Amino acid sequence: MPEAPPFPVLKGQGWSVKKKPSFSTRVASHVSGREVRAPRFSYPLYEFELTFDGLDSDGSFPELGTNSLQSLMGLYVQCQGSYGSFLYTDPTDYAVTEQLLGTATGTQTSFTFQRTLGATIEAVPYVTSVSSVHLNGVDQPSGWSLAAPRTLRFSVPPGTGIAVTATFKYAFECRFLDDQVDFENFMAGLWRVESLKFRSVKS
């Protein structure tokens, strides 16, 4: 399966940026007024909303990135609206250093990439690169591989009780929420998008 294309980094992106974690909870109400609740998601889906104040269409505004309109519209067309997925790198949430992935059992060869978020631990969506892997703080330049979207695999299982840590970068695999998006040409060679919404997917 080919990797989803990356979302372009565009200088004409405006403010504000919205990021909304969402869960799904099953609620059973009783005549007594009590409720029984059960979570359907082990970790949230994230919904993003971006705006683009300026997109260059013909090279007239190179400070916005030449043909930045084509870059963004091209991704949307490539994904066929809400059909296909892409990788979005949130500039405020994309990397961790020396993250604990688990403690080895002596037989385990696979570990899930995860990140600490406040008081909780959450699996990261899609690992894009791994800078280093350590076993009890000792660097491991080889003997491991990255299996998409977020699995670290060792050729030989680490010994019992060994702490497995890694430094890596990640992105959110997302789909556009709508099959139509308004690209507005408000002056010669200059376009904008008032609202572009997309949501992470689970893989």
Side-chain angles (χ1 to χ4, degrees):
M1 179 178 177
E3 182 177 296
F7 191 91
V9 177
L10 301 174
K11 296 179 181 179
Q13 182 177 326
W15 298 98
S16 64
V17 175
K18 296 181 180 179
K19 181 178 181 179
K20 179 169 64 177
S22 60
F23 288 89
S24 177
T25 304
R26 181 179 180 182
V27 181
S29 300
H30 297 266
V31 294
S32 65
R34 292 184 177 181
E35 293 180 337
V36 175
R37 293 176 176 258
R40 292 190 175 102
F41 295 174
S42 56
Y43 54 92
L45 295 177
Y46 289 91
E47 184 174 321
F48 300 87
E49 183 176 2
L50 308 182
T51 62
F52 295 89
D53 297 333
L55 297 168
D56 173 77
S57 65
D58 59 8
S60 298
F61 300 89
E63 68 276 9
L64 296 175
T66 302
N67 296 329
S68 50
L69 169 69
Q70 287 84 346
S71 296
L72 183 57
M73 188 181 291
L75 175 66
Y76 185 80
V77 172
Q78 181 181 355
C79 290
Q80 296 178 269
S82 63
Y83 172 71
S85 64
F86 57 91
L87 296 180
Y88 173 66
T89 300
D90 180 349
T92 67
D93 183 8
Y94 70 95
V96 290
T97 301
E98 284 302 295
Q99 172 68 48
L100 177 65
L101 304 186
T103 302
T105 62
T107 59
Q108 183 180 0
T109 58
S110 296
F111 295 81
T112 300
F113 284 94
Q114 57 190 17
R115 50 100 180 257
T116 300
L117 186 64
T120 190
I121 300 292
E122 179 182 276
V124 299
Y126 200 109
V127 176
T128 55
S129 65
V130 182
S131 300
S132 63
V133 173
H134 290 82
L135 298 179
N136 276 354
V138 179
D139 185 41
Q140 307 296 309
S142 61
W144 57 268
S145 61
L146 169 62
R150 55 177 172 273
T151 301
L152 175 67
R153 289 181 178 165
F154 289 94
S155 55
V156 177
T160 304
I162 290 179
V164 179
T165 59
T167 297
F168 58 93
K169 295 181 179 179
Y170 55 89
F172 293 84
E173 185 173 6
C174 297
R175 287 193 179 95
F176 293 108
L177 288 182
D178 301 308
D179 279 328
Q180 295 181 342
V181 171
D182 287 329
F183 290 84
E184 180 185 357
N185 186 191
F186 63 95
M187 62 178 291
L190 197 58
W191 295 65
R192 65 185 168 204
V193 177
E194 292 187 352
S195 176
L196 185 64
K197 297 180 180 180
F198 48 91
R199 182 169 54 213
S200 63
V201 298
K202 291 192 176 183
S203 53

